[in-house]
Amino acid sequence: MSETGPRLVTWENGTDLVIELPVARDVESVWDALTDSETARTWFAPFRLGEESADAGDDVDVPASRPLTFELEDADLDGTVLSCEEYDHVLLELEAFGVLGIRLLPVEGDSGEETLLVFTHSAADVESARAQAAEFGPMWDTHLRLFARALGLEIDEATEPELNAAYSDLSLDVADSGDSTDSADADEAGS
């Protein structure tokens, strides 16, 4: 059975709300479901992609971007695909939410090849991340649970009070950048 695992992770450029979801499906199956507009209708909203921007040209330092629109029931949610590597990750910037990412990591599991889906919602600092987690975390968690169900997986229901409590008091991890001072900071942040 799948279960979400949320936390905050601070790193050199900000702090992310990170929600991990183990999925008993291979990366290709998860990616295909994630990037199919009709499947997305069952767990979030159908979407349409615009043409890739010509801003990048041949300059590898300027990422190509694509406009993206999620077709919600009462309005459109516009954004941009900032980065996308098939079967690996997608990084979006949505006007109403900021920068969101989904990374798929292959893992060995009970059923063989499985996937760890890692969802991130970026913020500039810890305070902003805590506020975003409390406001949006329950919603993202609910959509990830719906995604797992769209894949045919069993996942426990979570009530609104349970989700609100979980996302209002998340632990804070410090990303390891390889610098020995980070581990001391992590110890202090975890205290």
Side-chain angles (χ1 to χ4, degrees), residues 68-101:
L68 170 75
T69 301
F70 284 99
E71 300 164 356
L72 305 174
E73 288 180 12
D74 53 351
D76 285 347
L77 175 59
D78 294 319
T80 304
V81 177
L82 301 173
S83 174
C84 181
E85 187 175 326
E86 192 172 39
Y87 306 116
D88 183 68
H89 76 274
V90 62
L91 186 65
L92 312 171
E93 185 165 16
L94 297 180
E95 289 177 4
F97 299 105
V99 177
L100 309 170

Side-chain angles (χ1 to χ4, degrees), residues 39-82:
T39 303
R41 174 185 308 274
T42 65
W43 61 274
F44 188 65
F47 62 86
R48 61 182 184 274
L49 282 170
E51 294 298 316
E52 191 170 292
S53 131
D55 295 345
D58 293 331
D59 186 351
V60 296
D61 292 330
V62 178
S65 61
R66 293 179 78 172
L68 170 75
T69 301
F70 284 99
E71 300 164 356
L72 305 174
E73 288 180 12
D74 53 351
D76 285 347
L77 175 59
D78 294 319
T80 304
V81 177
L82 301 173

Side-chain angles (χ1 to χ4, degrees), residues 93-125:
E93 185 165 16
L94 297 180
E95 289 177 4
F97 299 105
V99 177
L100 309 170
I102 295 178
R103 169 158 252 138
L104 303 179
L105 302 169
V107 295
E108 285 298 318
D110 295 338
S111 64
E113 187 178 339
E114 297 182 1
T115 303
L116 180 63
L117 184 151
V118 182
F119 171 88
T120 58
H121 186 169
S122 296
D125 54 48

